[in-house]
Amino acid sequence: MNKTHKAGFYPRFVFMLAMSTVWMAGLHSVAEAQNPPAPTRPNVIWIMSEDNSAEYLKHFDADGAPAPHIEALAKHGITFDRAFSNAPVCSVARTTLITSCYGPRIGTQYHRRSRLAAMPEGVRMFPAYLRDAGYYTTNHSKEDYNATDRDTATVWNDSSNRASWKNRPSKSTPFFHVETTAVSHESRLHFPESDVDNNSTTTDPDSIKLQPYFPDTPLLRYTRARYHDRMMDIDEHVGKVVADLTQAGELENTFIFYFGDHGGVLPRSKGYVYESGLRVPLVVRVPEKFKTATSRSLGDRTTGFVEFVDFGPTVLALAGIQTPANVDGKPFMGLDVDAKEVDGRDETFGYADRFDEKYDLVRTLRKGDWKYIRNFESFLPDAMQNNYRYEMAAYRQWRALHHEGKLNEVQNQFFLPKSSEALYDLSVDPHEIQNLAGDPTHAEKLSELRARLIERLKSMPDLSFMPEAVLVDEAMKNPAAFGQAHRAEIANLIDVANLSLLPWDQAKPKLTAALNSDDPWTCYWGLIAASSFGKAAASLLPDATKQLQHTEPLVAARAVEFVAIAGDQDPRPFLYRSLQRATSEIEVLPILGTAVYLNDHTDGRFPIDPNLIQLSFKAKPKGEVQRRLDYLK
């Protein structure tokens, strides 16, 4: 009987002990959730909203939308009034963020990429360093990178629509999480024009203030009002993230960055290097437990310049990780970061290259309130066709009013050739509509910023002075190394491109030499620079005409542009010939850009017959080449 009792007792005892252990563990889990252990390293969350400029939030601009949750972050943190994306489009901007490197230096400057660029030797996408240090790294869920890490599996613990910091292995594991909201994406303004008649916006269209370069129409007012509503949707999303952190007891352990992934999204913003395309909202909420990492009072605002190459190094600094060598950014927060030094930063660099099917090489340098823009293909107007941009009714109406002659001088600028360089005093001209480059009063400032930009382009060196087709064929296994190997050649091409900045009598002999060079890319840039002079360069027509049959189709296409701009000869047969001789999509694409330029921007003299376009290959059904072909039909 005793044996039977003992045999029954021990199993029951073991069961009760096990249940007690489970119950105690449950109590411990509840207590840990309510009072998580004091962290030794902070968590970091990035909340990125797509396609929105700082000017659309009242926290940054009196004419913007209210955003109480974002404003609450600012009261418990820092507002960066001069934060900049380096590029005005998502894949290039996001690649700049994740690599901490300038796109034109590492071959990631084209949207959409034709081939992924390998990361520079010895440089990782920065979340990999966090993961190596024990952080749980997650991305929900957009990547859109133009680079590939040499070991992509070690960048994120999870990058998907299921990724969450809540899935980390333990409550004591620090995390870095990226949350992207698309409610402000450009596509949210792709609505039928008839929506204006059924106005259902929370924001009253009559209450908003339009930018001076827009015609004041009900459609433009409605479009901006509708976008203000999207800003308020973003604010609600920010509030939800904060609520989740609060519920988990992690709010005061976590730095929360809210920012736009680049400017946008009304016309003349996304895809353009004006402030409307580059300046982004940035607010960082600082957790109580890590206030010493900022050397600032909560609620501070700074006008120190920070740019996307700096964001990765900043997260690493907050985590106590040294900035890797060979990146371009530097932290703007962290224990060893001097807030006064950050406040004194006053320079940012911007770049634009290809946006889907549209090429336009532009570089910018802003220093303080002065903005310098270098338009290397100045004869191309901002309004050059990009199919996706013109899905927006506001874009189409703006262009229609231009064709009808109903725009004033400022509103019409978008549709005219650009100047080779522009200089703006943003303190009095925040919308960049009064170009001071030709004003002798500002000649010294123009010269200073021009020289500084050229220095930066050469020191990188900037890979875009080689055609994209060359980079795809020769550089993408290690673009940064390719740039260093061709440093002198690229510097020479920059010098040729800059001949367009000289007085004509000084430029002419140098352009003549460039057009007759045995080096195809010297000739290529010589033709581009000559086109910038317009009809004033007509004396170069004999030299340029010889290049209409150049063995490099890309060079011949540039000769086509110059002949169309400066002369009366019909260059279209040579354009069709170049298209037929090109051997890849990425070689054909810029030549089709020339076709669109001739079709749309030469006063109707050279309409393109799509039936005469013959390619040596079949275009990808949904690729950039097919977009151009569809437009020209």
Side-chain angles (χ1 to χ4, degrees), residues 216-466:
D216 192 347
T217 70
L219 175 60
L220 262 299
R221 286 188 166 275
Y222 174 78
T223 301
R224 176 155 182 167
R226 189 152 164 166
Y227 201 62
H228 279 217
D229 287 1
R230 302 291 76 74
M231 295 295 100
M232 292 185 277
D233 291 341
I234 288 168
D235 190 61
E236 289 299 316
H237 183 79
V238 170
K240 182 180 182 303
V241 173
V242 172
D244 286 348
L245 288 166
T246 302
Q247 185 177 9
E250 293 290 352
L251 182 63
E252 299 308 337
N253 301 329
T254 307
F255 284 90
I256 304 173
F257 288 57
Y258 162 70
F259 58 98
D261 71 345
H262 53 76
V265 71
L266 270 71
R268 195 184 178 264
S269 55
K270 182 178 181 178
Y272 298 95
V273 292
Y274 302 108
E275 295 294 283
S276 54
L278 295 178
R279 182 170 166 252
V280 297
L282 171 61
V283 171
V284 180
R285 188 188 191 278
V286 178
E288 285 289 342
K289 295 176 183 176
F290 294 95
K291 287 192 293 186
T292 56
T294 64
S295 303
R296 296 181 185 275
S297 300
L298 298 183
D300 270 3
R301 301 184 81 121
T302 176
T303 56
F305 283 38
V306 299
E307 50 184 11
F308 273 13
V309 289
D310 302 325
F311 282 42
T314 299
V315 174
L316 295 180
L318 293 173
I321 300 170
Q322 187 174 358
T323 301
N326 302 322
V327 301
D328 297 313
K330 54 185 178 180
F332 52 83
M333 289 190 300
L335 285 174
D336 296 326
V337 176
D338 181 357
K340 290 184 178 179
E341 185 275 329
V342 174
D343 292 344
R345 297 182 191 179
D346 67 347
E347 185 171 300
T348 183
F349 170 61
Y351 38 87
D353 290 86
R354 175 167 62 78
F355 304 93
D356 300 314
E357 71 273 25
K358 172 183 175 283
Y359 284 88
D360 191 5
L361 177 55
V362 188
R363 296 290 181 261
T364 72
L365 185 77
R366 177 175 173 178
K367 190 169 182 63
D369 283 329
W370 289 94
K371 173 83 167 281
Y372 175 75
I373 300 179
R374 177 70 173 94
N375 295 300
F376 286 95
E377 298 168 282
S378 60
F379 47 91
L380 302 179
D382 283 332
M384 273 280 288
Q385 176 69 19
N386 178 310
N387 291 12
Y388 195 66
R389 296 289 94 82
Y390 282 93
E391 287 186 29
M392 190 186 298
Y395 262 107
R396 296 195 301 272
Q397 184 188 67
W398 194 12
R399 181 166 62 184
L401 292 172
H402 160 70
H403 288 311
E404 293 167 12
K406 295 181 179 179
L407 300 177
N408 64 33
E409 183 179 352
V410 170
Q411 296 160 1
N412 211 40
Q413 288 176 3
F414 189 72
F415 302 92
L416 303 178
K418 304 184 291 290
S419 57
S420 291
E421 53 187 357
L423 179 69
Y424 300 106
D425 179 358
L426 300 176
S427 67
V428 295
D429 182 22
H431 294 292
E432 297 157 281
I433 56 178
Q434 183 64 44
N435 183 5
L436 302 174
D439 186 341
T441 307
H442 304 293
E444 185 175 347
K445 179 61 68 174
L446 178 71
S447 179
E448 172 198 337
L449 296 183
R450 177 200 297 152
R452 175 63 177 146
L453 180 66
I454 293 170
E455 175 192 4
R456 293 192 68 159
L457 300 184
K458 290 183 177 182
S459 65
M460 294 174 73
D462 190 319
L463 293 173
S464 291
F465 290 88
M466 291 286 193

Side-chain angles (χ1 to χ4, degrees), residues 2-134:
N2 289 339
K3 287 182 179 179
T4 304
H5 174 74
K6 287 180 179 177
F9 171 77
Y10 281 104
R12 285 197 301 273
F13 174 77
V14 171
F15 173 76
M16 292 174 65
L17 181 63
M19 290 300 293
S20 174
T21 302
V22 169
W23 179 70
M24 291 297 291
L27 283 181
H28 180 70
S29 299
V30 172
E32 186 181 51
Q34 293 174 345
N35 300 288
T40 57
R41 292 175 291 177
N43 309 313
V44 180
I45 284 184
W46 283 2
I47 307 172
M48 270 195 283
S49 54
E50 294 197 64
D51 302 0
N52 70 276
S53 313
E55 65 183 313
Y56 293 113
L57 287 168
K58 189 176 291 290
H59 185 63
F60 293 90
D61 190 301
D63 298 317
H69 294 294
I70 294 171
E71 290 158 15
L73 295 184
K75 289 178 182 177
H76 205 280
I78 307 163
T79 297
F80 292 86
D81 283 308
R82 293 181 173 181
F84 302 91
S85 174
N86 296 103
V89 71
C90 50
S91 72
V92 187
R94 286 172 172 272
T95 307
T96 303
L97 281 168
I98 203 71
T99 63
S100 311
C101 296
Y102 293 125
R105 182 174 72 83
I106 66 167
T108 59
Q109 69 272 41
Y110 297 106
H111 175 83
R112 299 265 162 214
R113 69 263 176 185
S114 50
R115 184 171 299 176
L116 290 172
M119 291 285 290
E121 293 285 354
V123 178
R124 307 295 314 283
M125 293 182 176
F126 82 87
Y129 301 111
L130 292 164
R131 194 172 176 189
D132 288 348

Side-chain angles (χ1 to χ4, degrees), residues 556-578:
R558 292 304 193 178
V560 166
E561 290 170 350
F562 176 73
V563 169
I565 290 169
D568 298 320
Q569 178 183 350
D570 183 356
R572 286 175 295 177
F574 301 97
L575 174 73
Y576 298 132
R577 178 177 181 269
S578 295

Side-chain angles (χ1 to χ4, degrees), residues 511-534:
L511 286 171
T512 301
L515 266 56
N516 289 283
S517 172
D518 292 334
D519 174 53
W521 310 127
T522 297
C523 183
Y524 175 92
W525 275 107
L527 288 161
I528 294 171
S531 292
S532 298
F533 282 100

